[in-house]
Amino acid sequence: MLIYALIPARSGSKRIKDKNILKLKNKNLLEITINQSLKTKAINKTFVSTDSKKYQKISLKAGALSPYLRKKKISRDYSTDLECFKDFLNQLKIHQYEIPDIIVHLRPTYPYREKGLISKC
C-alpha cells in the first residue's frame, strides 16, 4: 500500500502572519509536522503543498517533497482542502509520481500529536 502525507501550508494568513512557520521550541510548525511525518514508517513520501517559495525552501530543507508551487487561486482565505487535494493529485501526475492508495492530511497548525498517533490513524 502506497501512503503519502500532504501538508498544506499556504502563506497568506490574515489573522496570524506566517502562522505555519511560527517557532515552537526552536523549530517552526511546518518543520515539526514534516519531522513527525518522516518518522512515521507507514508514510512513504511527505509532500508540502504551498504557494510560497520561502515555505517551499523550508520544506525541502526539512526533508519533504515540494515539487511545485500551488496556484494563488486555490491559496486564498476561502479556498477549500478539497481544492488543494485535487490540485495535489493533478500535480502528482504532472510530476510523474505514483498515485497513492492513501493520503494522510497533516496540518502544521496542530503540532501536538501524541507519539504514534499518525500510525494509529
Side-chain angles (χ1 to χ4, degrees), residues 36-55:
Q36 290 171 343
S37 177
L38 292 173
K39 288 179 183 175
T40 303
K41 292 179 183 173
I43 294 176
N44 303 104
K45 293 185 188 307
T46 300
F47 290 87
V48 173
S49 174
T50 184
D51 60 330
S52 163
K53 287 184 182 183
K54 179 179 179 179
Y55 287 18

Side-chain angles (χ1 to χ4, degrees), residues 68-113:
Y68 66 95
L69 288 176
R70 192 180 342 157
K71 295 174 190 131
K72 294 291 182 185
K73 73 178 186 177
I74 60 167
S75 301
R76 298 180 180 142
D77 286 347
Y78 297 103
S79 297
T80 65
D81 289 339
L82 183 58
E83 290 173 306
C84 177
F85 275 76
K86 285 181 178 180
D87 180 59
F88 174 63
L89 289 170
N90 187 48
Q91 292 293 336
L92 288 176
K93 291 176 189 172
I94 290 169
H95 293 279
Q96 300 181 344
Y97 286 97
E98 195 173 347
I99 301 299
D101 299 297
I102 296 173
I103 300 172
V104 178
H105 184 191
L106 298 174
R107 293 187 186 277
T109 52
Y110 297 106
Y112 292 112
R113 295 175 184 94

